[in-house]
Amino acid sequence: MKKLIVFDLDGTLAESKTPLDAEMAALFSALLAIVKVAVISGGDWPQFQKQLLQNLPQDQHWKNLSLLPTCGTKFYQYAGAWKKIYSEDFTLEEREKIFRSLKQALESADLKIARTWGEPIEDRGSQITFSALGQSAPIGEKKKWDPDFTKRKAIKALLDKLIPEFSVQLGGTTSVDITKPGIDKAYGIRKLMDAYGVAIDEMIFVGDALFPGGNDFPVKQAGVLSIRVRDPNETKRVIEAIVACLGGGESTSAGAR
């Protein structure tokens, strides 16, 4: 019996930096009503609020939801209000080294990016993220920039040599995420196990970056049953199947149509 369902956000529950659509919100809410749910994503807390929480009905089922921004380096739970459980932030020295190394790697990669929408490098406290086209790039531009991950894998290879003491993973459609070593989505999974008292075999993870180097891959390495999806539409079908297996199929299908 599965007791905890864990999701990635961008590319899994919603398109990159866009809100949940009405069908996904209905399905997600129905799932929350019958089982514990968590979301682990490279985005920071404001992105979770904008993409996820503002598009869900606030009700008693939020007590079943845990949110882990910045690849599990932060943890929030709900008890009448959202409370931060922890945040594994960088020191000033760590930040400075990561910024220097990231700029060096980008110069070596010579990406020749013609246009950006907003700042490409963002300090999220516990995670530093490079978004090649900027934080506000249109989804259409982002999807066609690096569809096979070749450009970002080259950046990761350079960073792995420059800052081997940190974790470098690929996320979203144009992003590279840098966290403290061992502080990744697998770390978040372990925190969830402690918080809920669940075992690895009582969990399911759903994400789009479950390939080696993807920021969902540490979850698979941790031994969680993992389902790779191509996009939010596939995730909807996965949620429908999970809800049906857990006994809530009829009401969910009706509410999501």
Side-chain angles (χ1 to χ4, degrees), residues 94-111:
E94 287 172 332
R95 283 188 176 89
E96 290 175 345
K97 182 171 184 180
I98 291 169
F99 271 93
R100 287 196 308 269
S101 300
L102 185 51
K103 290 176 182 177
Q104 183 178 339
L106 294 176
E107 288 174 2
S108 298
D110 192 23
L111 298 174

Side-chain angles (χ1 to χ4, degrees), residues 49-165:
Q49 292 176 301
K50 182 178 179 180
Q51 286 186 261
L52 185 67
L53 295 178
Q54 291 179 9
N55 301 284
L56 293 175
Q58 182 174 352
D59 58 28
Q60 72 274 17
H61 300 309
W62 276 20
K63 68 181 185 299
N64 287 338
L65 179 61
S66 292
L67 301 177
L68 292 88
T70 53
C71 292
T73 63
K74 298 178 183 179
F75 190 124
Y76 290 79
Q77 287 188 312
Y78 188 78
W82 287 102
K83 178 183 178 182
K84 184 191 291 185
I85 308 301
Y86 69 76
S87 181
E88 303 288 357
D89 292 341
F90 292 118
T91 65
L92 177 60
E93 292 77 14
E94 287 172 332
R95 283 188 176 89
E96 290 175 345
K97 182 171 184 180
I98 291 169
F99 271 93
R100 287 196 308 269
S101 300
L102 185 51
K103 290 176 182 177
Q104 183 178 339
L106 294 176
E107 288 174 2
S108 298
D110 192 23
L111 298 174
K112 294 182 171 61
I113 298 171
R115 179 182 177 185
T116 58
W117 290 261
E119 290 296 323
I121 300 176
E122 183 182 7
D123 184 350
R124 297 174 179 173
S126 57
Q127 176 179 294
I128 291 173
T129 296
F130 167 67
S131 298
L133 303 184
Q135 296 297 320
S136 303
I139 185 64
E141 295 293 327
K142 294 169 74 170
K143 282 187 171 182
K144 66 185 182 183
W145 183 75
D146 189 28
D148 60 358
F149 301 91
T150 300
K151 296 174 183 176
R152 283 178 293 158
K153 285 180 179 177
I155 297 169
K156 173 177 164 55
L158 290 165
L159 287 171
D160 284 340
K161 293 178 181 178
L162 291 167
I163 46 172
E165 69 271 37

